[in-house]
């Protein structure tokens, strides 16, 4: 069984920074895509950033130049460094991973439980 556990959310003032972590546990033997999504109240969940196993990344236009996604494949952990935070970044942030577990031939999708990020003065 695979679990994704996010941490690092909280309350921060506009212009501040936070670093989110997403740790995957289980008999993981591989995986390609890891991503961060977010969902603000009354809005649909949106993709924030993606990182592939080789290290290539892509970002939503709204966070380009402010957020940095990274991963440590050895630790099965993904990070999101969020800088210059704005009130509109307030949302529940979810991690997503496409992972392959011991004994499986293909990757399966997994979601974390979410962590709240609130940007407010």
């Amino acid at each position: 069984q695979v679990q994704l556990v996010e941490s690092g959310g909280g309350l921060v003032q506009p212009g501040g920074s936070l670093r989110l972590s997403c740790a995957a546990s289980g008999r993981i033997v591989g995986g390609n895509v890891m991503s961060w999504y977010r969902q603000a109240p009354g809005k649909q969940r949106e993709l924030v950033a993606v990182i592939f196993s080789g290290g290539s990344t892509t970002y939503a236009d709204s966070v380009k130049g402010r957020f940095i996604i990274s991963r440590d494949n050895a630790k099965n952990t993904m990070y999101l460094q969020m800088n210059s935070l704005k009130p509109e970044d307030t949302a529940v942030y979810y991690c997503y991973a496409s992972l392959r577990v011991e004994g499986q031939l293909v990757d399966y999708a997994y979601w974390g439980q979410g962590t709240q990020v609130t940007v407010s003065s």
Side-chain angles (χ1 to χ4, degrees):
Q1 185 177 358
V2 172
Q3 280 192 320
L4 299 182
V5 179
E6 299 108 331
S7 61
L11 173 65
V12 63
Q13 291 188 340
S17 298
L18 281 176
R19 189 193 194 208
L20 305 182
S21 298
C22 172
S25 62
R27 295 179 176 269
I28 299 165
V29 297
N32 187 17
V33 178
M34 296 189 80
S35 310
W36 288 99
Y37 286 76
R38 66 186 181 187
Q39 187 167 19
K43 295 189 176 181
Q44 289 189 332
R45 190 172 297 190
E46 63 173 355
L47 180 63
V48 175
V50 182
I51 186 166
F52 296 89
S53 57
S56 59
T57 60
T58 187
Y59 296 91
D61 287 343
S62 59
V63 306
K64 276 181 184 176
R66 300 188 298 122
F67 290 11
I68 301 172
I69 188 171
S70 61
R71 65 191 284 177
D72 183 334
N73 290 330
K75 295 182 179 179
N76 291 320
T77 301
M78 174 178 63
Y79 306 95
L80 186 68
Q81 178 66 43
M82 304 186 294
N83 302 318
S84 302
L85 283 161
K86 304 175 181 179
E88 50 263 44
D89 294 318
T90 295
V92 177
Y93 284 70
Y94 297 90
C95 71
Y96 164 91
S98 176
L99 300 171
R100 189 163 66 257
V101 176
E102 191 176 87
Q104 293 177 341
L105 298 178
V106 297
D107 294 359
Y108 287 87
Y110 299 92
W111 288 91
Q113 82 287 353
T115 185
Q116 177 70 46
V117 171
T118 303
V119 185
S120 175
S121 54

